[in-house]
Amino acid sequence: MVLVSLFAALIAVLGLIPKIDLPLGVPITMQTLGVMLAGCILGPKRALQAVTLFLLAVALGLPLLSGGRGGMGVFFSPASGYLMGWPIGAFVTGLMMSAMSTATPRSSAISAFFASAIGGLLVVHVFGVVGLVNIANLTWAQAVTGTLVFVPGDLIKCALCAIVVHTVARGLPDWRFGD
């Protein structure tokens, strides 16, 4: 329970880093890094719980999203698909991490990069595109094109996640990633 709460708080803290607003209606934030870290470090079940706890706090009105946003209205904004993708993305990241090698710090970092790219990037963006089509009334082509602007930054977040996982693996060699 402590780790779940800690990672929900980490996602909230990452929201303190100022967002970059885009014309698409979906800001660039660092909070996706928290989703990736939760999946890689906590595993699928606890990562899902952590991100769900965070989103529940946001739904209750706490201004925890980047830019001080919160409340039910954010779930009806163009960013809603991405937000709904966070728990699933964290879960998939954890599943991928549990299926890959974590025998050494280096292999843990490589696994974390690929797990976060699949769960924290691909899965979240699929949900985001669906949200843009349904909420922002974009065409599929417009939504896919629009979400591509996030990919370079998200790949940097995947690399940061891998660095953190490498550090955790070196400092806590008995840590079981993806469990």
Side-chain angles (χ1 to χ4, degrees):
M1 187 179 330
V2 172
L3 288 173
V4 168
S5 300
L6 180 66
F7 272 83
L10 173 66
I11 297 169
V13 168
L14 288 170
L16 295 175
I17 298 169
K19 65 184 171 114
I20 299 170
D21 288 314
L22 298 175
L24 188 62
V26 180
I28 296 174
T29 75
M30 287 299 289
Q31 290 180 298
T32 314
L33 174 60
V35 172
M36 295 173 184
L37 286 169
C40 287
I41 294 175
L42 297 181
K45 181 181 172 190
R46 289 184 293 181
L48 176 67
Q49 292 169 341
V51 178
T52 301
L53 174 63
F54 173 80
L55 291 177
L56 178 62
V58 168
L60 292 174
L62 294 177
L64 300 177
L65 292 172
S66 188
R69 298 171 299 134
M72 289 300 294
V74 299
F75 297 100
F76 298 97
S77 72
S80 63
Y82 295 93
L83 295 176
M84 294 292 94
W86 283 3
I88 307 303
F91 184 81
V92 170
T93 301
L95 279 178
M96 295 301 300
M97 194 67 182
S98 65
M100 293 192 229
S101 173
T102 57
T104 66
R106 183 171 186 230
S107 67
S108 297
I110 292 168
S111 295
F113 180 86
F114 287 107
S116 59
I118 293 167
L121 193 154
L122 182 64
V123 170
V124 170
H125 283 276
V126 167
F127 275 81
V129 166
V130 171
L132 288 172
V133 168
N134 291 318
I135 301 290
N137 295 319
L138 298 179
T139 66
W140 287 100
Q142 291 171 325
V144 169
T145 303
T147 200
L148 291 177
V149 73
F150 298 104
V151 173
D154 285 346
L155 287 172
I156 292 169
K157 293 175 202 172
C158 292
L160 289 172
C161 181
I163 291 168
V164 170
V165 166
H166 183 270
T167 303
V168 170
R170 287 188 61 186
L172 299 169
D174 293 334
W175 188 268
R176 296 178 56 173
F177 294 98
D179 280 347

